[in-house]
Amino acid sequence: MASLISPMTPALQQNPKIICFSAFKPPLHHDTPSFTDRLRSNPGRCKAFFGNIPDDLLENTLQLDQFPAFQSGLVQFQSVTEELSDTQKWGLLVFAGVAWIYLTARPGILIGAIDAYLLAPLQLGLDSLTGRRNLKRSDFLVGDKLGEGSFGVVYSGVVVPRNATVEEKVPKRGTGRALQLDERFKEKVILKKVKVGITGAEQFGEVEEWFNYRLSRAAPETCAKFLGSFVADQTSSQFTKGGKWLVWKFEGDRTLGDYMKDRNFPFNLESVMFGRVLQGVVSVKRSALIIKQVMRQIITSLKKIHDTGIVHRDVKPANLVVTKKGQVKLIDFGAATDLRIGKNYIPDQSLLDPDYCPPELFVLPEETPSPPPEPVAALLSPVIWQLNSPDLFDTYSAGIVLLQMAIPSLRPVSGLKNFNTEIKKARYDLNKWRESTRLRPDLTILELDSGRGWDLATKLISERGYLGRGRLSAAAALRHPYFLLGGDQAAAVLSKFSLIK
Ligand SMILES: Nc1ncnc2c1ncn2[C@@H]1O[C@H](COP(=O)(O)OP(=O)(O)OP(=O)(O)O)[C@@H](O)[C@H]1O
């Protein structure tokens, strides 16, 4: 609204409320003097009305009635409301307020509709223009295999520069190392081949692609940059004609899981997170700061994706890539579900890693029916979200990651499995587990600062209580005292300014 007035004075820019106030007082009919006319003809009353405001601000405010379109809209609005009784006006106001709260409550129907009906088509149009949706098999050279899931195989790779010849593009044995050494192939990528002929694989590929596009609009900083997809046009080496491939920017050499396998963890992350070794800090505190910084990033990303209605459902160290700049990014959205529209939500289906999965096993209660058509699902989503808090599924997994980072004996797979057996017996009460465990956990890091880390862990790793609550959401976890002492933040920010390098 403020941009309607040009040029704006500095005083006006600082005081937009006054514009709003006067804008809602237009003349009722064009033949009656406008509110601003009346004020202009009586500056004393005007000042009395608005208080002692600067003259330039007042003059700009009074110029509002020079915008006929704006005025006529307001006139129409006022003439409609004029006919209503005071009670009806109040009713209208309350209805508008409640509707606004409902439409903007998590997971955000309004913003979701804007995303689905405006931003997604816009992205599609822009991507088609820039060629992002027209990727081809020949744009990439496939390197080493990095991993294999039930529905896909992941490879490292590079983008082939436009001037490279066709012969040079043909991949050979041992390509991975050769590609790294080849100066021409600077842009590294990750390619995921969706398995062909496996039941559910195609749908999995479609789901992962959908989530990556969705997140590239809604919360791009939380996940690996998605470059697009292509369908192989012929069968050769790793390619099968008609098979789908998804492509991401290569974000980093190692996942949090890779770092945690190293005996030197968490110090192997110190210079990545903070630019250098934190001098003058004792080693336990250094460990605690590194872990807190990783944890802060995980929880912040979870908060952002939960705000959009997405639950990842597979949060674990192997699905968190650490970038060169010390950012921790979520990958592998194949199991994710968008509960704003019910995308990838199938009742009774749990695609889980049992080591990180919360006791409830399902993101929504099993009796929740299959989602209705998307617009209806979206309208119901705030109720579903309020009643079930599905985001707490991910925060449990984040709690397990915290415990693993802080307690060395829980890092190996066997240690985590033993923990899971014990915590189940302790009915997911960490304090009871602590009294009964045979794992002799070293809790030093969690006990620092009056046990704030331990307290946070007990509030993330717990069973759900009434209405599915009782465990901290990501937003609530970020407000926990553990994160309020921001030594890790200070170190991370300083490293960005290279002051401590
Ligand atoms: N954008 C990326 N940047 C760097 N490495 C990545 C990226 N995406 C994936 N990786 C690497 O590839 C591995 C497998 O990726 P991802 O987890 O997405 O595949 P997956 O087929 O689901 O495998 P799994 O079932 O074993 O998790 C990751 O553990 C990671 O090492």
Side-chain angles (χ1 to χ4, degrees):
M1 195 183 298
S3 62
L4 282 171
I5 296 170
S6 175
M8 281 215 302
T9 63
L12 190 57
Q13 283 169 330
Q14 286 162 13
N15 226 333
K17 274 186 197 155
I18 291 181
I19 304 170
C20 299
F21 181 80
S22 73
F24 278 96
K25 297 279 185 180
L28 253 187
H29 304 290
H30 288 292
D31 51 355
T32 56
S34 76
F35 176 73
T36 48
D37 279 342
R38 277 177 275 155
L39 289 182
R40 193 177 279 124
S41 64
N42 190 347
R45 185 176 159 215
C46 175
K47 293 238 171 186
F49 206 89
F50 286 132
N52 192 17
I53 56 170
D55 288 340
D56 58 344
L57 168 59
L58 184 60
E59 192 41 46
N60 274 284
T61 308
L62 297 180
Q63 281 167 15
L64 258 182
D65 56 358
Q66 290 168 9
F67 296 93
F70 181 70
Q71 285 258 335
S72 78
L74 291 167
V75 169
Q76 275 174 14
F77 175 77
Q78 192 153 359
S79 62
V80 169
T81 52
E82 272 293 298
E83 284 156 23
L84 301 176
S85 69
D86 275 358
T87 325
Q88 284 170 323
K89 276 185 196 162
W90 275 109
L92 189 69
L93 206 67
V94 170
F95 175 78
V98 171
W100 177 257
I101 291 170
Y102 190 77
L103 291 175
T104 54
R106 193 182 261 185
I109 305 175
L110 186 64
I111 196 93
I114 294 172
D115 180 76
Y117 298 114
L118 193 71
L119 300 183
L122 210 66
Q123 183 188 39
L124 180 64
L126 278 177
D127 285 355
S128 307
L129 284 177
T130 56
R132 185 173 159 196
R133 301 269 173 149
N134 312 323
L135 300 182
K136 299 185 299 296
R137 175 188 57 86
S138 53
D139 291 338
F140 305 99
L141 268 185
V142 180
D144 294 334
K145 182 170 154 180
L146 296 180
E148 180 163 355
S150 316
F151 300 125
V153 187
V154 180
Y155 299 91
S156 64
V158 288
V159 176
V160 176
R162 286 187 195 281
N163 51 6
T165 63
V166 178
E167 286 72 36
E168 285 167 338
K169 291 181 188 176
V170 177
K172 298 189 182 85
R173 276 194 172 278
T175 325
R177 180 94 191 110
L179 291 182
Q180 276 178 23
L181 297 174
D182 195 320
E183 276 291 296
R184 289 164 308 157
F185 303 125
K186 291 199 182 96
E187 205 180 329
K188 294 209 265 173
V189 289
I190 293 290
L191 299 118
K192 187 179 272 190
K193 174 168 78 171
V194 179
K195 288 184 180 171
V196 179
I198 304 278
T199 317
E202 207 174 304
Q203 194 206 353
F204 160 86
E206 183 267 323
V207 163
E208 191 157 18
E209 181 172 22
W210 187 91
F211 275 99
N212 275 280
Y213 277 127
R214 169 99 178 78
L215 282 165
S216 67
R217 298 188 299 273
E221 64 288 10
T222 61
C223 53
K225 186 174 178 194
F226 187 54
L227 301 179
S229 67
F230 64 87
V231 174
D233 55 351
Q234 65 177 58
T235 301
S236 67
S237 57
Q238 298 96 333
F239 298 105
T240 309
K241 191 173 178 186
K244 184 153 199 166
W245 289 69
L246 309 178
V247 191
W248 291 266
K249 178 185 168 195
F250 176 85
E251 295 283 3
D253 283 327
R254 293 204 268 171
T255 63
L256 180 62
D258 297 327
Y259 280 100
M260 278 168 56
K261 279 182 201 142
D262 192 336
R263 285 177 73 84
N264 199 24
F265 182 85
F267 298 111
N268 55 358
L269 268 176
E270 190 169 24
S271 46
V272 184
M273 300 314 267
F274 300 132
R276 57 159 254 171
V277 171
L278 299 170
Q279 276 159 6
V281 186
V282 292
S283 79
V284 177
K285 288 206 167 171
R286 276 166 55 207
S287 300
L289 284 178
I290 300 162
I291 289 169
K292 190 188 285 190
Q293 176 60 203
V294 174
M295 200 57 198
R296 189 190 293 275
Q297 290 200 35
I298 297 172
I299 299 274
T300 304
S301 292
L302 288 181
K303 179 186 175 303
K304 287 182 183 165
I305 67 163
H306 294 163
D307 282 345
T308 73
I310 293 174
V311 183
H312 186 283
R313 292 202 288 189
D314 201 11
V315 175
K316 57 182 177 181
N319 283 339
L320 292 157
V321 172
V322 183
T323 73
K324 259 197 219 154
K325 290 183 181 166
Q327 292 163 292
V328 182
K329 296 197 168 191
L330 283 162
I331 56 168
D332 199 356
F333 282 80
T337 178
D338 184 340
L339 294 168
R340 184 187 277 159
I341 52 166
K343 183 92 184 167
N344 206 25
Y345 173 69
I346 303 165
D348 299 348
Q349 191 193 49
S350 62
L351 314 140
L352 317 164
D353 184 328
D355 292 338
Y356 296 88
C357 173
E360 65 268 17
L361 299 180
F362 297 97
V363 74
L364 293 178
E366 285 165 83
E367 57 275 13
T368 311
S370 297
E374 285 182 10
V376 183
L379 272 177
L380 295 175
S381 62
V383 179
I384 300 274
W385 200 281
Q386 285 306 312
L387 289 181
N388 302 295
S389 305
D391 50 326
L392 304 188
F393 190 99
D394 283 345
T395 54
Y396 179 94
S397 311
I400 300 283
V401 177
L402 169 63
L403 229 51
Q404 272 197 296
M405 287 198 288
I407 306 174
S409 59
L410 301 193
R411 286 178 207 151
V413 180
S414 57
L416 186 57
K417 291 214 180 296
N418 288 337
F419 166 79
N420 275 318
T421 311
E422 289 187 352
I423 192 74
K424 195 173 174 186
K425 279 193 196 140
R427 301 180 74 91
Y428 298 91
D429 180 332
L430 263 192
N431 287 312
K432 280 199 187 132
W433 169 77
R434 186 178 180 164
E435 286 158 18
S436 60
T437 180
R438 290 156 170 260
L439 298 175
R440 297 167 180 249
D442 177 358
L443 301 177
T444 319
I445 290 176
L446 294 171
E447 284 300 336
L448 288 174
D449 296 323
S450 329
R452 291 173 184 209
W454 176 256
D455 188 68
L456 175 64
T458 61
K459 289 174 174 155
L460 292 173
I461 299 173
S462 72
E463 264 187 312
R464 288 165 177 243
Y466 179 64
L467 280 183
R469 288 179 168 75
R471 188 183 297 152
L472 288 187
S473 67
L478 285 175
R479 293 192 299 268
H480 186 276
Y482 174 71
F483 288 117
L484 291 185
L485 278 185
D488 62 311
Q489 278 297 75
V493 170
L494 284 176
S495 83
K496 292 215 170 56
F497 289 108
S498 305
L499 289 178
I500 58 169
K501 276 189 181 165

